[in-house]
């Protein structure tokens, strides 16, 4: 940044934006106001033109905040009162510096205060005053609206009857209602923080709101108990749920476009002793475009998994606990298989992502459209590839396995701890072992581990005892580097940013087929799979630890040891 000895009016004049007569007029009519504001009010020049000329004169980049996606962790790195006092807004991180949008980068006092407060070097960029003020308002609106709700709502909104419910609908459907504003703010904020879920949890004296980010829950705020009814009613209205029914769980969904991204919100309510708990799962439609290589599979695992796609028939099963990314893996595979020559049909509950070229069927239990009924129907529609959202029962399992034996490629999920136990689980569902052995081609067990923040991860040397306790073979660790989580402002002081898949891919060979037919235990099948080259969840996780992707503690947390 170079300092300019020219006054702002002269800079605008030299840029050819105004004439000398206009400059003289602006100076005469200034009346104590900044010259820039006077020129804009007189219609001589726009704020953007002034900012652009100033940026060129000082050698500082000009940023159009109206079309710039702010990094929320950066934009709230300073208190709101300081941002308003200096009319500045942090917009991003760049290397080890905080990028701050200012209209007057020559304000060294503001830059020094920001450097001391944040601990970052400050890299100023120029923007218009109005854009900066709008950005400040947007960045801090959640806190402002929470205060507005607390001040405005005089009594708890309670739904005791249909008449009361009708009155509540009027209150929580008004877009200018404080309750509506705070729900909107929570939804926008959750997307900006890349949250997976939002938890609205009634407590005895308050309502706790938490985001699940990278698989771990974080407190967002605790709201007064008196706004509990309004918050939950608003979410129910948005999701198409019955706001008068509070005794049974309900499920719904709605969609919004936030920051240019289409996001689906899946809503589930659960009656508790203090009121209805609401969990909202966020599904970004862009995330379904992820390819298999981006999932985090090693080259060996990816090659092993991809081989199963070359067959025109067989079963590909993905297993793991809820929220471990099974659906994402299936859709990544489905996207790779999707072509004009093939008829792809899915049966899901719910249909989480809509994919062009794929015929997707939504389960409807009330209408009698179960997984088994849907699967029987789609097999009469000449499919080449079938995806079943989840194998939940004996009937679905049998139809899926038989379909894989009759010329269909079947993709599905189960809930088991690892790949070998999936075979024993299918046997427990009364599927004949010889059918399982013939039909199943590959089983993928997976978990999601948090990735270390690349800005603050710290190299360290773990003790031999901790490595042995975690299951590491310490004789193979010569020259290996370990990292641990520290925490910084870029990762909200968690030490982690983003997630990576941990995979265990078991291809069914002749030995495993024999063990399956003989009803062998999961441990016996596991030993045979490892002998054939399978990497366990633990081994794949440890490889990512030694690659510096995640931490030892994180792998111990998410894998089966």
């Amino acid at each position: 940044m170079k300092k300019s000895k020219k006054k702002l009016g002269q800079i605008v004049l030299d840029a050819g934006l105004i004439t000398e007569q206009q400059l003289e007029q602006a100076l005469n009519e200034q009346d104590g106001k900044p010259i820039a504001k006077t020129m804009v009010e007189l219609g001589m020049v726009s704020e953007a033109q002034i900012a652009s000329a100033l940026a060129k004169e000082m050698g500082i980049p000009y940023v159009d905040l109206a079309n710039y996606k702010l990094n929320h962790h950066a934009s709230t790195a300073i208190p709101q009162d300081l941002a308003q006092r200096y009319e500045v807004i942090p917009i991003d991180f760049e290397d080890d510096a905080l990028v701050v949008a200012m209209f007057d980068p020559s304000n060294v006092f503001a830059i020094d205060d920001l450097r001391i407060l944040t601990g970052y070097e400050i890299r100023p960029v120029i923007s218009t005053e109005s854009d900066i003020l709008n950005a400040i308002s947007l960045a801090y609106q959640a806190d402002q609206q929470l205060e507005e709700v607390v001040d405005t709502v005089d009594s708890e909104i309670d739904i005791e009857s249909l008449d009361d419910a009708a009155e509540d609908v009027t209150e929580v459907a008004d877009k200018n209602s404080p309750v509506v504003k705070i729900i909107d703010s929570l939804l926008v904020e959750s997307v900006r923080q890349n949250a997976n879920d939002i938890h609205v949890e009634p407590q005895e004296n308050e309502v706790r709101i938490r985001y699940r980010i990278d698989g771990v829950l974080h407190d967002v705020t605790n709201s007064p108990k008196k706004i509990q009814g309004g918050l939950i009613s608003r979410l129910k209205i948005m999701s198409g749920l019955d706001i008068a029914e509070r005794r049974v769980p309900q499920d719904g969904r709605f969609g919004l476009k936030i920051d240019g991204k289409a996001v689906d919100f899946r809503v589930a309510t659960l009656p508790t002793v203090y009121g209805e708990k609401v969990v909202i799962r966020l599904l970004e439609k862009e995330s379904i475009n992820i390819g298999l290589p981006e999932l985090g599979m090693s080259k060996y695992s990816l090659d092993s998994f991809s081989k199963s796609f070359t067959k025109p028939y067989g079963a590909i099963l993905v297993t793991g606990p809820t929220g471990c990314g099974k659906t994402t893996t299936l859709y990544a595979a489905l996207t790779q298989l999707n072509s004009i020559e093939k008829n792809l049909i899915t049966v899901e509950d719910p249909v989480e992502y809509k994919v062009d070229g794929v015929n997707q069927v939504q389960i409807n239990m009330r209408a009698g459209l179960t997984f088994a009924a849907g699967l029987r129907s789609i097999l009469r529609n000449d499919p080449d590839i079938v995806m079943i959202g989840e194998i939940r029962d004996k009937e679905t399992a049998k139809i899926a396995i038989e379909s894989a034996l009759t010329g269909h490629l079947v993709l599905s999920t189960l809930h088991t701890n690892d790949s070998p136990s999936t075979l024993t689980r299918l046997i427990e569902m009364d599927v004949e072992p010889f059918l399982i052995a013939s039909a199943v081609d590959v089983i993928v067990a997976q978990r999601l581990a948090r990735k270390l923040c690349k800005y603050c991860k710290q190299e360290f040397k773990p003790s031999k005892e901790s490595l042995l306790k975690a299951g590491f073979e310490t004789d193979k660790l010569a020259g290996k580097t370990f990292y641990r989580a520290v925490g910084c402002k870029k990762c909200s002081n968690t030490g982690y940013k983003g997630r990576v898949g941990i995979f265990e891919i078991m291809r069914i060979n002749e030995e495993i087929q024999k063990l399956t037919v003989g009803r062998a235990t999961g441990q016996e099948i596991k030993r045979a799979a490892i002998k054939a080259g399978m990497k366990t969840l633990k081994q794949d996780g440890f490889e990512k630890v030694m690659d510096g992707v995640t931490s030892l503690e994180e792998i111990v947390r998410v894998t089966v040891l």
Side-chain angles (χ1 to χ4, degrees):
M1 179 178 74
K2 63 179 182 180
K3 291 186 178 180
S4 176
K5 295 181 180 179
K6 296 181 183 178
K7 291 185 177 180
L8 181 59
Q10 188 65 42
I11 292 172
V12 177
L13 176 64
D14 291 346
L17 298 173
I18 59 172
T19 64
E20 289 187 4
Q21 290 77 15
Q22 287 177 315
L23 176 57
E24 186 176 347
Q25 179 189 356
L27 290 170
N28 290 334
E29 299 187 23
Q30 192 172 355
D31 195 24
K33 292 181 292 187
I35 188 66
K37 190 169 185 178
T38 303
M39 288 188 288
V40 172
E41 287 179 352
L42 291 172
M44 298 175 178
V45 68
S46 69
E47 277 190 279
Q49 288 175 314
I50 295 174
S52 182
L54 189 59
K56 187 175 180 180
E57 174 68 23
M58 300 184 72
I60 296 175
Y62 167 70
V63 173
D64 180 7
L65 287 184
N67 296 309
Y68 189 92
K69 183 179 178 182
L70 271 66
N71 181 329
H72 180 76
H73 295 304
S75 62
T76 54
I78 63 173
Q80 183 179 3
D81 59 346
L82 193 66
Q84 290 174 329
R85 186 196 316 162
Y86 290 129
E87 293 188 354
V88 299
I89 181 74
I91 61 172
D92 215 339
F93 295 101
E94 195 173 284
D95 300 327
D96 292 323
L98 184 65
V99 181
V100 178
M102 316 173 68
F103 180 68
D104 181 13
S106 63
N107 189 342
V108 294
F109 299 107
I111 291 174
D112 286 343
D113 280 357
L114 295 177
R115 183 185 296 112
I116 293 168
L117 178 68
T118 64
Y120 287 100
E121 283 300 314
I122 304 301
R123 188 166 295 168
V125 296
I126 290 179
S127 187
T128 65
E129 185 178 20
S130 59
D131 281 351
I132 290 171
L133 294 176
N134 286 337
I136 291 171
S137 176
L138 288 172
Y140 298 96
Q141 69 177 352
D143 290 338
Q144 293 173 338
Q145 287 168 358
L146 177 57
E147 292 174 6
E148 184 182 357
V149 171
V150 174
D151 293 339
T152 304
V153 181
D154 295 322
S155 60
E156 181 180 352
I157 300 174
D158 195 13
I159 305 173
E160 295 293 348
S161 66
L162 287 175
D163 291 337
D164 291 336
E167 293 175 9
D168 289 338
V169 168
T170 303
E171 168 67 20
V172 299
D174 179 4
K175 66 180 181 180
N176 295 315
S177 163
V179 171
V180 172
K181 288 181 179 179
I182 193 170
I183 289 293
D184 291 346
S185 295
L186 288 171
L187 296 176
V188 170
E189 186 71 10
S190 67
V191 172
R192 290 175 176 171
Q193 293 201 31
N194 296 315
N196 314 114
D197 304 277
I198 306 170
H199 290 244
V200 181
E201 303 169 313
Q203 306 294 305
E204 184 176 5
N205 300 310
E206 62 187 8
V207 180
R208 180 171 65 177
I209 299 174
R210 297 189 289 173
Y211 292 157
R212 186 180 294 279
I213 302 173
D214 294 334
V216 177
L217 285 166
H218 300 272
D219 274 329
V220 176
T221 185
N222 291 328
S223 300
K225 186 73 173 177
K226 62 185 179 182
I227 71 168
Q228 173 180 317
L231 291 176
I232 293 170
S233 295
R234 172 60 181 170
L235 289 170
K236 282 184 164 185
I237 289 172
M238 295 176 73
S239 313
L241 304 181
D242 182 357
I243 66 171
E245 179 56 77
R246 297 178 295 160
R247 299 163 296 176
V248 296
Q250 297 185 68
D251 295 292
R253 67 190 303 164
F254 61 92
L256 295 173
K257 196 164 188 177
I258 297 175
D259 292 340
K261 294 185 290 188
V263 184
D264 279 336
F265 296 87
R266 273 174 44 191
V267 180
T269 68
L270 182 70
T272 72
V273 292
Y274 296 123
E276 288 178 285
K277 171 184 169 72
V278 181
V279 176
I280 309 165
R281 172 158 288 188
L282 282 69
L283 301 168
E284 288 187 21
K285 294 183 179 179
E286 287 82 355
S287 66
I288 199 54
N289 295 323
I290 189 171
L292 285 172
E294 287 78 47
L295 293 175
M297 289 185 186
S298 65
K299 187 178 185 305
Y300 172 83
S301 297
L302 183 58
D303 290 343
S304 183
F305 185 41
S306 298
K307 282 179 183 176
S308 59
F309 299 160
T310 61
K311 290 188 176 182
Y313 57 89
I316 300 171
L317 304 177
V318 183
T319 183
T322 301
C324 72
K326 298 187 298 294
T327 301
T328 302
T329 299
L330 279 185
Y331 271 103
L334 203 64
T335 301
Q336 184 166 317
L337 291 166
N338 191 5
S339 68
I340 195 68
E341 298 86 8
K342 296 174 182 175
N343 180 19
L344 281 72
I345 306 180
T346 74
V347 53
E348 307 169 65
D349 183 24
V351 174
E352 295 190 359
Y353 302 100
K354 295 180 176 65
V355 183
D356 290 337
V358 178
N359 305 286
Q360 297 173 273
V361 178
Q362 168 73 53
I363 290 301
N364 188 334
M365 301 297 287
R366 291 182 180 177
L369 182 55
T370 62
F371 272 111
L375 191 51
R376 279 194 300 268
S377 297
I378 64 178
L379 290 176
R380 293 193 290 269
N381 281 266
D382 188 33
D384 297 296
I385 299 170
V386 177
M387 189 185 97
I388 308 166
E390 183 183 345
I391 294 177
R392 295 179 178 174
D393 52 47
K394 171 182 174 181
E395 189 176 5
T396 306
K398 284 187 173 181
I399 298 172
I401 294 299
E402 289 169 1
S403 301
L405 289 170
T406 55
H408 304 95
L409 186 62
V410 178
L411 291 76
S412 190
T413 70
L414 285 93
H415 287 280
T416 59
N417 287 331
D418 59 8
S419 297
S421 62
T422 303
L423 297 173
T424 58
R425 173 69 180 134
L426 289 170
I427 293 173
E428 288 171 3
M429 289 181 167
D430 287 337
V431 182
E432 290 295 337
F434 72 90
L435 294 178
I436 299 170
S438 301
V440 179
D441 186 64
V442 66
I443 301 173
V444 181
Q446 71 178 75
R447 301 289 188 275
L448 287 176
R450 292 180 294 172
K451 294 166 67 176
L452 285 166
C453 173
K454 63 180 180 180
Y455 296 102
C456 65
K457 67 179 181 181
Q458 187 178 82
E459 190 175 322
F460 86 115
K461 187 175 182 179
S463 66
K464 186 176 181 179
E465 291 75 19
S466 64
L467 291 171
L468 287 171
K469 186 176 180 180
F472 262 107
E473 297 178 23
T474 54
D475 58 330
K476 297 181 180 179
L477 300 178
K480 299 296 183 182
T481 302
F482 288 80
Y483 294 89
R484 62 184 168 194
V486 177
C488 66
K489 291 184 178 179
K490 293 184 183 181
C491 60
S492 301
N493 291 313
T494 63
Y496 298 94
K497 187 72 174 176
R499 290 192 288 179
V500 65
I502 309 297
F503 297 94
E504 176 182 276
I505 298 179
M506 184 177 79
R507 291 190 61 81
I508 309 301
N509 59 19
E510 188 176 343
E511 177 63 23
I512 294 174
Q513 286 179 330
K514 290 178 181 177
L515 290 170
T516 303
V517 172
R519 297 177 181 266
T521 65
Q523 284 300 316
E524 290 174 312
I525 295 172
K526 184 175 184 177
R527 283 193 290 269
I530 292 172
K531 185 178 178 181
M534 181 188 80
K535 291 182 180 179
T536 65
L537 285 166
K538 179 177 70 174
Q539 290 169 334
D540 189 52
F542 285 167
E543 284 187 4
K544 289 179 170 64
V545 169
M546 290 185 285
D547 288 340
V549 175
T550 188
S551 68
L552 182 63
E553 294 78 11
E554 187 67 5
I555 294 304
V556 171
R557 182 180 73 86
V558 302
T559 61
V560 179
L561 298 178

